[in-house]
Amino acid sequence: QCQLSGLWRNEQDSLMEIAALRDNGDFHGKYLTRVTLAGGCARASPLKGAQQQPGEGGWPTFAFTVHWDKFSNATTAFAGQCFVDSGGKETLTTMWLLREAVGSLEEDWKATR
């Protein structure tokens, strides 16, 4: 069983804390990034998401968004899956998409990473 709730650290030393999951799979928490668009110190931002319960013998998939509170005009969406290895270590694998606000439709091409 893979549990999303708790404290997670990624390769860049960013931290994510997920509160307990609701029965329907919804969750919320905080994301503390060490990599900021503005540079400088790390800041916590709110996250909201949902976990899809796996079928028999599968691992749960999940998605969440982070609103980069008070220091950026961007929002990031993450989608991933939770795995447990033979030693019991839980690992989250994710893909992310960051959308930054731009001033015009002509600048739309550079808004998504």
Side-chain angles (χ1 to χ4, degrees), residues 55-98:
E56 189 73 27
W59 303 109
T61 59
F62 59 89
F64 62 90
T65 58
V66 177
H67 172 251
W68 302 110
D69 202 23
K70 299 183 177 98
F71 67 95
S72 174
N73 60 351
T75 300
T76 303
F78 293 80
Q81 190 169 5
C82 188
F83 296 96
V84 180
D85 69 15
S86 59
K89 180 182 177 187
E90 295 175 319
T91 301
L92 303 182
T93 61
T94 62
M95 298 279 298
W96 57 269
L97 191 63
L98 181 137

Side-chain angles (χ1 to χ4, degrees), residues 7-16 31-36 42 68:
L7 187 63
W8 297 89
R9 179 183 307 272
N10 72 9
E11 296 88 3
Q12 285 78 38
D13 278 337
S14 296
L15 297 173
M16 176 176 69
Y31 199 98
L32 180 67
T33 182
R34 299 276 182 215
V35 181
T36 65
W68 302 110

